[in-house]
Amino acid sequence: MVRLPENTQGAYTGGAITVNKYNIAVIGSGCGLMVMEAALAHGQSCALVEMRDMGGTCLNRGCIPSKMLVYPADMIRYAQEAEAAGLSYPPPEIDFAKIAGRMKRQIRVSKEIEQSLAEVRNLDVYRGIGEFTRPGAMKVTGPEGEEELEAARFVIAAGARPFLPPIPGLDTAGYITTDSFFGDKFPDRPWDSLAIIGGGAVAVEFAHIFSALGTRVTLVEKLQRLLPAEEEEISAFVTESFIRSGIAVHTSARILSVRMEYGQKIIESENMETGERSVVRADEILTAAGIRSNADLLHPERAGIQTNPRGFIETNAYLETSAENVYAIGDVNGKFPFRHKANYEAGVLSGNLYGNGRIEARYDHVPWAVFTHPQVSHVGLTEREARDRGLRVFVGRNYYSDIAAGIAMGFSKKRPGNGFVKIIAGEDRKILGVHIAGPHASDLIQEGTLALMLECTLDELEATIHPHPTLSEAFAEAALV
């Protein structure tokens, strides 16, 4: 049974199932918690439905636990590259149990969130899978059986799950996803060899992590290049760095089959450009070929909620779905699968529901950050996207080796991996896109994000005082075009 909040609109019993009524129901405890908090602050009765651990993908199976692994990998790579600054280190002693312990302790914050929610007034927490039964009503199937609820408003923040490519033999041979990796498939030690299916942000992040920890890593990507959402020169920059680090990269690769052979997992693929066939042998296979929306689990069609051909819930600029008083935020709507985007949408929606105004969600300045080695980030248009729109553009670049901070870090024009900032601007000199590759790219991109949001010009960016000597000076230098 669930605890009725003090200001619940009402409840009635139909047969053996109790139906509780609320002002708002939130599906998903990632970014959905922000809307829930806003609703509770305004005296609303609230239902929270969660089928997995509290905190959503980011806390439990994504951004945060992965960064607990990325940081040690970064330190290993920096030590290997320190010779450029006059330092040499022996190979590190890796305490993988300690690394894993730090990560798992951070994931356990989910339990603290759940415990704290148990004491919140006007809130009922439903543990299980929610399904719409009709407009305004949902059934939740969980450990306590089936429970039904109705709400005047629904906020769907149900997230997404790894997409599993239909590859012959994959199920039989076995594989892991980020979901199972951060669950029951987490290894006791780094694998000797790992094959990663995919070439996007998750794939290159895990390639960096395990390659640095000593695993022999192979990336198998169907598209022509890694990180297809990035500038082509940044994709090439990362690929070259991977090859120098011993990571094997197979692009334009159509996987023909997966099988087990003598205790190893075998991927057979064909290069779609040359027809050449390759065989990859690995102890484990990580599938990182994108995500699919969790919307299908909710049966949105029963509530009149439209999804696009890829299964993501369609929303307008106000995050409204096709059903009245139903909203969708985060990964479930398919607009940039990032927690920072999801939090932004939660803030916009909370303000529209409980604030004094009504604003549209904007997506033209959503930053991307990929925590591989080297780090990469971008915001706005790529050069190709701008030119494909028929725009005349200015393109400015500045390399880390051209500024004092980069020189101090050991970068030079002759050194492989020389980081850079690239700026795309329109004919009116307004900034259209910023792209960064190199150390601290994920931090540096915020200046580019602000520049896009404020519609800055190259001249305004160049005139901005940047502290010296810092990597941020690369922005001012790149704007001199």
Side-chain angles (χ1 to χ4, degrees):
M1 298 292 294
V2 296
R3 169 175 53 83
L4 262 178
E6 295 180 6
N7 69 339
T8 294
Q9 294 178 344
Y12 63 87
T13 301
I17 299 177
T18 298
V19 180
N20 295 324
K21 288 186 159 185
Y22 303 90
N23 298 124
I24 188 169
V26 176
I27 318 304
S29 65
C31 63
L33 291 180
M34 294 176 62
V35 183
M36 180 203 76
E37 291 170 355
L40 292 170
H42 284 78
Q44 302 285 286
S45 59
C46 186
L48 175 65
V49 180
E50 177 55 69
M51 67 178 181
R52 300 190 67 174
D53 297 326
M54 289 292 173
T57 298
C58 180
L59 174 61
N60 297 287
R61 303 174 298 280
C63 329
I64 295 175
S66 65
K67 301 311 164 290
M68 305 295 284
L69 303 177
V70 165
Y71 184 73
D74 286 347
M75 294 300 99
I76 292 170
R77 290 298 186 214
Y78 289 146
Q80 292 170 346
E81 297 168 355
E83 187 178 352
L87 300 174
S88 296
Y89 296 95
E93 294 184 10
I94 298 172
D95 188 341
F96 191 68
K98 186 173 183 178
I99 293 172
R102 290 181 67 245
M103 182 201 75
K104 292 175 181 179
R105 283 194 297 275
Q106 188 61 39
I107 292 175
R108 282 198 289 271
V109 172
S110 172
K111 298 297 183 184
E112 298 174 13
I113 294 173
E114 186 161 10
Q115 292 168 2
S116 67
L117 291 177
E119 306 301 322
V120 176
R121 296 177 58 188
N122 299 332
L123 171 68
D124 282 347
V125 177
Y126 291 79
R127 302 299 265 121
I129 298 175
E131 300 177 24
F132 284 102
T133 54
R134 62 184 186 281
M138 175 167 279
K139 173 182 70 176
V140 181
T141 304
E144 298 182 10
E146 288 186 357
E147 298 175 297
E148 290 190 2
L149 63 93
E150 295 180 356
R153 287 173 170 155
F154 279 84
V155 175
I156 303 173
R161 60 191 186 273
F163 168 75
L164 298 179
I167 299 172
L170 183 62
D171 284 338
T172 302
Y175 59 89
I176 60 171
T177 66
T178 50
D179 277 13
S180 59
F181 173 82
F182 290 113
D184 59 355
K185 296 290 183 68
F186 192 87
D188 294 329
R189 62 178 183 83
W191 297 285
D192 291 333
S193 55
L194 173 67
I196 301 175
I197 298 175
V202 173
V204 299
E205 185 173 297
F206 272 79
H208 163 47
I209 291 168
F210 280 98
S211 173
L213 294 174
T215 299
R216 187 174 70 255
V217 175
T218 303
L219 282 162
V220 184
E221 166 58 43
K222 183 178 182 180
L223 299 180
Q224 291 182 322
R225 59 189 177 96
L226 302 180
L227 297 174
E230 301 295 334
E231 283 278 347
E232 293 174 26
E233 61 198 273
I234 287 182
S235 294
F237 186 76
V238 172
T239 301
E240 291 164 5
S241 175
F242 275 11
I243 292 171
R244 287 195 303 272
S245 299
I247 299 171
V249 178
H250 298 242
T251 53
S252 299
R254 178 174 59 243
I255 298 177
L256 304 174
S257 65
V258 176
R259 66 182 185 276
M260 287 292 294
E261 188 176 281
Y262 301 114
Q264 282 199 309
K265 300 179 181 185
I266 312 298
I267 298 176
E268 186 174 354
S269 66
E270 179 182 66
N271 186 293
M272 292 184 288
E273 296 176 357
T274 67
E276 181 181 355
R277 292 200 172 192
S278 299
V279 172
V280 175
R281 300 174 181 271
D283 295 329
E284 187 56 273
I285 296 173
L286 168 67
T287 62
I291 60 172
R292 61 174 297 187
S293 171
N294 282 334
D296 61 315
L297 305 177
L298 307 177
H299 292 282
E301 70 282 354
R302 297 174 184 168
I305 301 167
Q306 293 182 359
T307 58
N308 67 20
R310 296 179 58 218
F312 292 93
I313 293 176
E314 294 185 335
T315 57
N316 64 14
Y318 299 101
L319 303 164
E320 298 165 330
T321 71
S322 56
E324 187 176 5
N325 293 320
V326 179
Y327 311 86
I329 59 176
D331 291 356
V332 78
N333 68 21
K335 297 175 181 177
F336 300 95
F338 311 133
R339 181 58 183 264
H340 49 274
K341 186 276 305 191
N343 287 350
Y344 163 74
E345 288 180 328
V348 169
L349 181 59
S350 296
N352 288 347
L353 293 179
Y354 303 113
N356 297 322
R358 179 174 157 88
I359 63 172
E360 296 183 353
R362 287 179 52 187
Y363 299 100
D364 55 351
H365 56 272
V366 177
W368 299 54
V370 183
F371 296 87
T372 188
H373 189 83
Q375 279 192 7
V376 299
S377 62
H378 84 259
V379 63
L381 301 180
T382 65
E383 181 179 355
R384 180 179 293 274
E385 287 170 340
R387 294 190 188 281
D388 286 348
R389 296 185 184 187
L391 301 176
R392 296 180 61 186
V393 298
F394 292 94
V395 178
R397 289 180 188 80
N398 189 250
Y399 290 87
Y400 283 19
S401 63
D402 294 330
I403 55 176
I407 295 169
M409 294 170 69
F411 288 98
S412 68
K413 294 186 186 306
K414 296 181 179 180
R415 175 186 164 186
N418 188 10
F420 62 93
V421 172
K422 178 177 180 179
I423 300 178
I424 316 298
E427 193 171 11
D428 59 0
R429 299 184 66 78
K430 283 187 179 178
I431 295 169
L432 302 175
V434 175
H435 306 266
I436 308 172
H440 307 294
S442 60
D443 298 316
L444 292 170
I445 196 60
Q446 192 57 37
E447 179 169 349
T449 304
L450 188 62
L452 256 73
M453 189 176 72
L454 298 179
E455 300 182 350
C456 289
T457 66
L458 290 168
D459 307 295
E460 289 169 330
L461 186 58
E462 188 274 329
T464 301
I465 299 174
H466 293 80
H468 176 77
T470 65
L471 291 176
S472 69
E473 290 181 291
F475 278 93
E477 297 295 324
L480 291 171
V481 60

